[in-house]
Amino acid sequence: ETYGALVNFGRRLDTLGTPSFELPGIDFVAIAKGYGVRAESATTEAELRDALTRAFSAQEPVLIEAFTYFE
């Protein structure tokens, strides 16, 4: 797992020597649930669409962990 936004910014700014944004083993869904926040993972477009539909209709904060793939 990586912190995708920071990886992308680093690429766009052509910065060399930035610290690694690899975050292996962090379970963001479990952390959110530990704080009492509804959370789920989405690995496909359909799962993300369904998760967003549920989140937008919720009356509470919701974390959606969306997996992306970089080439």
Side-chain angles (χ1 to χ4, degrees):
E1 293 154 6
T2 63
Y3 197 148
L6 293 179
V7 170
N8 190 32
F9 287 138
R11 286 182 186 153
R12 288 177 182 254
L13 297 173
D14 196 27
T15 56
L16 301 175
T18 53
S20 174
F21 298 117
E22 300 294 322
L23 304 170
I26 295 179
D27 187 340
F28 294 103
V29 171
I31 292 169
K33 288 180 177 180
Y35 282 101
V37 175
R38 251 182 52 195
E40 60 183 290
S41 294
T43 58
T44 67
E45 183 180 340
E47 288 175 352
L48 179 58
R49 188 177 302 114
D50 292 344
L52 287 169
T53 298
R54 288 188 291 276
F56 289 140
S57 67
Q59 299 298 312
E60 60 192 357
V62 177
L63 177 128
I64 300 170
E65 179 182 40
F67 290 91
T68 58
Y69 302 95
F70 295 101
E71 292 184 17

